[in-house]
Amino acid sequence: SSGINAEYGTTFDVLNVGPNEGKAINCILISSFVPSGRTPFVCICLDAESNCFALNIYNIDCGKAPKLGDVMTVPYPQKSVVNIVIDNELNDFEMIRVDTPLNMMINNRQLPRDTLAPLKLTTTALT
């Protein structure tokens, strides 16, 4: 048992902006990249109705991130709107944010704790 209890089969287009309690989305990873080797792990996904969307996974060890073709299940997906200015024109797009990989499944498997990105402590000397 995964410990995740949510209504599966939700598609990206029917999710509300903000938290979606009691829902989960299944999607397949079709592309990904990691900006400068850090989180978030940025995914381009397709849902069951072939809606294409971005999914950002924060706090994941990128060496243990999902691979192309993996099926991801995100319970209680958090949908947000991102505003980008391109050529002086405001463009909005919606995406899903996953704050921790422990809140999702890959290929029907709950992810272990070592999937979390290691903590890094940076200090700065004040003079």
Side-chain angles (χ1 to χ4, degrees), residues 18-80:
N20 286 271
E21 295 296 321
K23 295 183 180 176
I25 188 167
N26 294 311
C27 55
I28 189 166
L29 178 63
I30 60 170
S31 184
S32 65
F33 66 96
V34 181
S36 304
R38 303 185 57 85
T39 62
F41 182 76
V42 180
C43 305
I44 305 300
C45 301
L46 290 176
D47 67 14
E49 291 184 359
S50 297
N51 294 306
C52 186
F53 61 94
L55 185 146
N56 288 355
I57 306 171
Y58 289 83
N59 301 309
I60 190 167
D61 181 339
C62 291
K64 297 178 180 168
K67 310 286 186 257
L68 295 181
D70 281 349
V71 175
M72 297 181 290
T73 302
V74 180
Y76 319 113
Q78 174 78 29
K79 190 175 189 180
S80 59

Side-chain angles (χ1 to χ4, degrees), residues 1-5 8 102 105 108-110:
S1 172
S2 68
I4 295 173
N5 294 313
Y8 290 179
L102 301 181
M105 295 172 59
N108 290 321
R109 291 190 180 96
Q110 193 80 41

Side-chain angles (χ1 to χ4, degrees), residues 84-91:
I84 297 178
V85 176
I86 302 172
D87 295 330
N88 294 322
E89 184 177 324
L90 181 62
N91 296 275

